Amino acid sequence: MRITPAELTALRAKRAAPTPSSWRGGVLTVVVPGVLKNPLNARWHYYTRARWSRTWHEKTAGAILEADQRQAWRAISALPRHVHFHAYVQRLFDSDGLQAALHAALKPCRDALVVYGVLSGDAERDGHVFTCQQEKSAWRGVVVTVRARGLR
C-alpha cells in the first residue's frame, strides 16, 4: 500500500500534540499530556487515587510554568475567568454521566490552576465559569484555555 506525501502529513498531524503552553493576548493555553481516567468508575485504593491525582496536578503545574507567566496571572487571578477544558481521549466518556465523569477526571488540573495562582478559587462564589469538551484523538491529554469572561 502506498500513500502520498500529503496523506502522510495528514496522518502525522492527527498524532501530533497541540501547540505548547503559552500566554498570548490575555489568553492562557496550558497543554497537559496524559491519559485521562474516570475516577468515578475506578475501584482504586485511596493511595492509588492520590498518586493519580498528584501526577496530573504536577503535569499541570509543569505546563503552567512552561507558559512562564505565572506572576502576571497571579495579579489578576481574582477577575472572573472562563476556563475551558478540552480532553483528548482514546474512548469517549459515557453520555449518562458525561459532565460528572469528565469534571471528576479533570479535577486535579482544576486544582492546580488554583494552587499555582492562575485562578483565585474554583468555587461558584469566585465567579469563574468552567466548561469541558471531549474528542477522540490519537494524542491524549488536556488543553486548558483560560480567558477573561468577556472574551470569546
Side-chain angles (χ1 to χ4, degrees):
M1 181 173 133
R2 291 186 174 188
I3 61 174
T4 65
E7 290 172 330
L8 181 62
T9 304
L11 287 172
R12 286 183 179 156
K14 283 185 179 180
R15 294 192 65 92
T19 58
S21 300
S22 65
W23 184 40
R24 293 188 187 109
V27 177
L28 176 67
T29 304
V30 179
V31 179
V32 187
V35 179
L36 275 179
K37 295 180 183 176
N38 181 356
L40 302 179
N41 287 344
R43 292 187 175 179
W44 290 338
H45 188 265
Y46 75 92
Y47 184 76
T48 306
R49 182 184 170 107
R51 184 177 53 214
W52 169 81
S53 180
R54 185 176 58 245
T55 301
W56 270 96
H57 190 276
E58 290 170 354
K59 286 180 182 182
T60 307
I64 291 169
L65 294 174
E66 180 184 327
D68 201 28
Q69 297 295 331
R70 193 173 66 156
Q71 298 301 324
W73 276 90
R74 186 169 288 159
I76 56 173
S77 65
L79 298 174
R81 299 274 174 215
H82 179 255
V83 182
H84 180 73
F85 296 95
H86 194 112
Y88 294 91
V89 294
Q90 184 176 9
R91 281 173 277 151
L92 298 176
F93 286 89
D94 293 337
S95 61
D96 59 348
L98 171 65
Q99 293 303 316
L102 201 51
H103 280 289
L106 296 168
K107 181 78 170 114
C109 295
R110 186 171 167 165
D111 291 342
L113 293 175
V114 175
V115 170
Y116 288 91
V118 175
L119 300 174
S120 58
D122 60 351
E124 287 184 22
R125 68 177 177 269
D126 293 311
H128 305 300
V129 175
F130 297 93
T131 58
C132 58
Q133 179 182 355
Q134 63 178 339
E135 176 182 331
K136 279 180 131 181
S137 174
W139 181 83
R140 291 188 269 172
V142 180
V143 176
V144 184
T145 307
V146 182
R147 64 185 70 205
R149 277 182 68 182
L151 297 175
R152 282 284 161 198

Coordinates of all heavy atoms in Angstrom, one line a residue, residues 76-83 110 114 118-131 146-147 149:
I76 N -3.9 39.2 38.5 CA -5.3 39.4 38.0 C -6.2 38.1 38.2 O -7.2 38.0 37.6 CB -5.3 39.8 36.5 CG1 -4.6 38.8 35.7 CG2 -4.7 41.2 36.3 CD1 -4.7 39.0 34.2
S77 N -5.7 37.2 39.0 CA -6.5 35.9 39.2 C -7.8 36.1 39.8 O -8.7 35.2 39.7 CB -5.6 34.9 40.0 OG -5.4 35.4 41.3
A78 N -8.1 37.2 40.5 CA -9.4 37.4 41.1 C -10.5 37.8 40.2 O -11.6 37.7 40.5 CB -9.3 38.4 42.2
L79 N -10.1 38.2 39.0 CA -11.1 38.6 38.0 C -11.8 37.3 37.5 O -11.2 36.2 37.4 CB -10.4 39.2 36.8 CG -9.7 40.6 37.0 CD1 -9.0 41.0 35.8 CD2 -10.7 41.6 37.5
P80 N -13.1 37.4 37.2 CA -13.9 36.2 36.7 C -13.3 35.7 35.4 O -13.0 36.5 34.5 CB -15.3 36.8 36.5 CG -15.4 38.0 37.3 CD -14.0 38.6 37.3
R81 N -13.1 34.4 35.3 CA -12.5 33.8 34.1 C -13.4 32.8 33.5 O -14.3 32.2 34.2 CB -11.2 33.1 34.5 CG -10.2 34.0 35.1 CD -9.4 34.6 33.9 NE -8.5 35.6 34.4 CZ -8.2 36.7 33.8 NH1 -8.7 36.9 32.6 NH2 -7.4 37.6 34.3
H82 N -13.2 32.5 32.2 CA -13.9 31.4 31.6 C -12.8 30.3 31.3 O -11.8 30.6 30.7 CB -14.5 31.8 30.2 CG -15.1 30.7 29.5 ND1 -14.6 30.1 28.4 CD2 -16.3 30.0 29.8 CE1 -15.3 29.1 28.0 NE2 -16.4 29.0 28.9
V83 N -12.9 29.2 31.9 CA -11.9 28.1 31.8 C -12.5 27.0 31.0 O -13.6 26.4 31.4 CB -11.5 27.6 33.2 CG1 -10.4 26.5 33.1 CG2 -11.0 28.7 34.1
R110 N -7.8 21.3 37.5 CA -8.6 22.5 38.0 C -7.9 22.9 39.3 O -7.7 24.1 39.5 CB -10.0 22.0 38.2 CG -11.0 23.1 38.6 CD -12.4 22.6 38.5 NE -13.3 23.5 39.2 CZ -14.6 23.4 39.0 NH1 -15.1 22.5 38.2 NH2 -15.4 24.2 39.6
V114 N -5.7 26.6 40.6 CA -5.9 27.4 41.8 C -4.6 27.5 42.7 O -4.2 28.6 43.1 CB -7.0 26.8 42.7 CG1 -7.2 27.6 44.0 CG2 -8.3 26.9 41.9
V118 N -3.3 30.8 39.0 CA -4.0 31.2 37.8 C -5.4 31.6 38.1 O -5.9 32.6 37.5 CB -4.0 30.0 36.7 CG1 -4.8 30.4 35.5 CG2 -2.6 29.7 36.4
L119 N -6.1 31.0 39.0 CA -7.4 31.3 39.4 C -7.4 31.6 40.9 O -6.6 31.1 41.7 CB -8.4 30.2 39.2 CG -8.5 29.7 37.7 CD1 -9.4 28.5 37.7 CD2 -9.1 30.8 36.9
S120 N -8.3 32.4 41.4 CA -8.4 32.7 42.8 C -9.1 31.6 43.6 O -8.8 31.4 44.8 CB -9.2 34.0 43.0 OG -10.5 33.9 42.4
G121 N -9.9 30.8 42.9 CA -10.5 29.7 43.6 C -11.4 29.0 42.5 O -11.6 29.5 41.5
D122 N -11.9 27.8 42.9 CA -12.7 27.1 41.9 C -14.2 26.9 42.4 O -15.0 26.1 41.9 CB -12.1 25.7 41.5 CG -12.0 24.8 42.7 OD1 -12.1 25.2 43.9 OD2 -11.6 23.6 42.5
A123 N -14.5 27.6 43.5 CA -15.9 27.6 44.0 C -16.8 28.5 43.2 O -16.3 29.4 42.5 CB -15.9 28.0 45.5
E124 N -18.1 28.3 43.2 CA -19.0 29.2 42.5 C -18.9 30.6 42.9 O -19.1 31.5 42.1 CB -20.4 28.6 42.6 CG -20.7 27.4 41.9 CD -22.2 26.9 42.0 OE1 -23.0 27.8 42.3 OE2 -22.4 25.7 41.8
R125 N -18.7 30.9 44.2 CA -18.6 32.2 44.7 C -17.5 33.1 44.0 O -17.5 34.3 44.1 CB -18.5 32.3 46.2 CG -17.2 31.7 46.7 CD -17.1 31.8 48.2 NE -15.9 31.2 48.7 CZ -15.7 30.0 49.1 NH1 -16.8 29.2 49.0 NH2 -14.6 29.5 49.5
D126 N -16.5 32.4 43.5 CA -15.4 33.1 42.8 C -15.7 33.7 41.5 O -15.0 34.5 40.9 CB -14.2 32.2 42.7 CG -13.6 31.8 44.1 OD1 -13.4 32.8 44.9 OD2 -13.4 30.6 44.3
G127 N -16.8 33.2 40.9 CA -17.3 33.8 39.6 C -16.7 33.2 38.4 O -17.0 33.7 37.3
H128 N -15.9 32.2 38.5 CA -15.3 31.6 37.3 C -16.3 30.6 36.7 O -17.1 29.9 37.4 CB -14.0 30.8 37.6 CG -13.0 31.7 38.3 ND1 -12.5 32.9 37.8 CD2 -12.4 31.6 39.5 CE1 -11.7 33.4 38.6 NE2 -11.6 32.7 39.7
V129 N -16.3 30.5 35.3 CA -17.1 29.5 34.6 C -16.2 28.4 34.0 O -15.2 28.7 33.4 CB -17.9 30.2 33.5 CG1 -18.7 29.2 32.6 CG2 -18.8 31.3 34.0
F130 N -16.6 27.2 34.3 CA -15.8 26.0 33.8 C -16.7 25.2 32.8 O -17.8 24.9 33.1 CB -15.5 25.1 35.0 CG -14.6 25.7 36.0 CD1 -15.1 26.4 37.1 CD2 -13.2 25.7 35.9 CE1 -14.3 27.0 38.1 CE2 -12.4 26.3 36.8 CZ -12.9 27.0 37.9
T131 N -16.1 25.0 31.6 CA -16.7 24.2 30.6 C -15.7 23.1 30.2 O -14.5 23.2 30.4 CB -17.1 25.0 29.4 OG1 -16.0 25.6 28.9 CG2 -18.2 26.0 29.8
V146 N -7.7 29.5 29.5 CA -8.2 30.4 30.5 C -8.2 31.8 29.9 O -7.2 32.3 29.4 CB -7.3 30.4 31.7 CG1 -7.9 31.3 32.8 CG2 -7.2 29.0 32.3
R147 N -9.4 32.5 29.9 CA -9.5 33.8 29.4 C -10.5 34.6 30.3 O -11.3 34.0 31.0 CB -10.0 33.8 28.0 CG -11.4 33.2 27.8 CD -11.8 33.1 26.3 NE -11.0 32.0 25.8 CZ -10.7 31.9 24.5 NH1 -11.1 32.7 23.6 NH2 -9.9 30.9 24.0
R149 N -13.9 36.5 31.2 CA -15.2 36.1 30.9 C -15.8 36.8 29.7 O -16.6 36.3 29.0 CB -16.1 36.2 32.0 CG -16.0 35.0 32.9 CD -16.8 34.9 34.1 NE -18.2 34.8 33.8 CZ -19.2 34.7 34.7 NH1 -18.9 34.9 36.0 NH2 -20.4 34.6 34.4

